């Protein structure tokens, strides 16, 4: 092989290498461009997915908040309904008691009653229960005593009078308790000398 042929072969070889390098760099540019395009497409789709997830998450949060609010509203309604039912039950019980006041009635006297005759507690119980229906109590007349008390009162019977008044209050408390199913309170209001007893 002659020197010129050898040079030609080397030159041809160098041209093939250069052409190969150029093809590789064109291919790399295309690949790089395709990769960039693919990355942009992926980023765009990822952003879309993130937006959808955020929107769903926000809607879910709104739904949870609404559910919490609805549960609170339902709880409030149930509490109100419970209060109404309790009041209705109380009124119903008191209405029954009012209609049946003769049950458990006892006899008592009024000190200022001239004929010294005993009375039934039925009407007095109705007055007490009527006051309970309006969420009130009533004062107990200090002139009421047990039926066994002799109303020909004198100063020497003061202790006996107070015992008879207490016996009347106890009997009234028991009578009302049997009618309404729970014990009412009886207490003195005011000072010990001038106070008045009330039932509620």
């Amino acid at each position: 092989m002659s020197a010129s042929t050898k040079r030609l072969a080397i030159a041809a070889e160098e041209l093939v290498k250069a052409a190969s390098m150029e093809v590789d760099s064109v291919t790399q540019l295309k690949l790089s461009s395709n990769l960039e395009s693919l990355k942009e497409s992926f980023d765009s789709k990822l952003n879309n997915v993130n937006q959808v997830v955020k929107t769903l998450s926000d809607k879910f949060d709104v739904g949870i908040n609404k559910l919490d609010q609805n549960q609170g509203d339902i709880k409030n309604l149930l509490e109100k309904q419970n209060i109404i039912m309790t009041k209705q039950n109380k009124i119903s019980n008191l209405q029954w008691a009012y209609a049946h006041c003769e049950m458990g009635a006892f006899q008592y006297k009024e000190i200022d009653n001239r004929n010294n005759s005993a009375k039934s507690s039925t009407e007095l119980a109705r007055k007490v229960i009527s006051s309970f229906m309006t969420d009130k109590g009533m004062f107990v007349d200090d002139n009421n005593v047990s039926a066994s008390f002799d109303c020909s009162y004198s100063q020497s019977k003061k202790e006996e009078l107070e015992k008879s008044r207490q016996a009347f209050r106890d009997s009234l408390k028991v009578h009302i308790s049997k009618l309404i199913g729970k014990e009412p309170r009886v207490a003195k209001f005011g000072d010990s000398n001038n106070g008045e007893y009330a039932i509620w």
Side-chain angles (χ1 to χ4, degrees):
M1 213 192 234
S2 72
S4 76
T5 317
K6 222 177 195 188
R7 271 193 276 165
L8 269 172
I10 291 176
E13 203 175 288
E14 288 298 319
L15 277 175
V16 169
K17 277 186 189 177
S20 170
M21 287 173 93
E22 200 170 303
V23 168
D24 283 347
S25 92
V26 168
T27 304
Q28 278 185 337
L29 281 175
K30 281 183 181 179
L31 281 175
S32 177
S33 173
N34 285 343
L35 283 175
E36 190 62 37
S37 172
L38 189 61
K39 183 182 178 291
E40 287 174 9
S41 174
F42 179 76
D43 287 346
S44 172
K45 288 179 181 175
L46 185 61
N47 283 339
N48 288 341
V49 168
N50 285 339
Q51 286 176 348
V52 168
V53 168
K54 183 173 180 355
T55 300
L56 290 175
S57 176
D58 291 346
K59 286 181 180 179
F60 182 74
D61 288 346
V62 167
I64 292 293
N65 290 338
K66 186 76 169 168
L67 183 62
D68 287 345
Q69 182 182 0
N70 288 345
Q71 282 180 329
D73 291 346
I74 289 170
K75 183 180 176 188
N76 289 340
L77 287 173
L78 288 174
E79 287 172 356
K80 287 177 185 177
Q81 184 178 11
N82 192 23
I83 290 168
I84 289 169
M85 289 174 66
T86 300
K87 284 182 181 180
Q88 285 175 337
N89 191 33
K90 176 185 171 187
I91 293 296
S92 178
N93 288 344
L94 290 174
Q95 287 171 337
W96 181 92
Y98 185 88
H100 296 89
C101 279
E102 64 281 349
M103 292 174 55
F106 63 96
Q107 298 292 308
Y108 71 99
K109 292 180 182 177
E110 293 176 340
I111 294 175
D112 60 355
N113 187 347
R114 302 270 185 243
N115 65 14
N116 203 20
S117 62
K119 298 170 68 170
S120 172
S121 63
T122 302
E123 285 307 311
L124 182 59
R126 281 195 174 104
K127 287 180 184 177
V128 170
I129 290 171
S130 291
S131 70
F132 287 1
M133 284 184 190
T134 59
D135 288 329
K136 297 178 184 171
M138 66 174 266
F139 286 105
V140 179
D141 191 345
D142 225 15
N143 288 321
N144 296 334
V145 293
S146 68
S148 63
F149 184 72
D150 177 12
C151 288
S152 56
Y153 172 71
S154 70
Q155 236 359 54
S156 61
K157 294 184 179 180
K158 189 171 185 178
E159 189 175 306
E160 188 180 326
L161 172 64
E162 196 47 50
K163 284 181 183 176
S164 186
R165 286 175 173 157
Q166 185 60 47
F168 163 78
R169 289 189 293 268
D170 291 344
S171 296
L172 179 61
K173 189 175 181 178
V174 168
H175 184 191
I176 299 299
S177 179
K178 286 179 181 176
L179 290 169
I180 65 173
K182 67 180 193 177
E183 189 173 290
R185 291 171 284 205
V186 176
K188 191 170 192 174
F189 287 90
D191 64 44
S192 59
N193 294 326
N194 298 322
E196 290 184 83
Y197 280 90
I199 185 167
W200 73 97

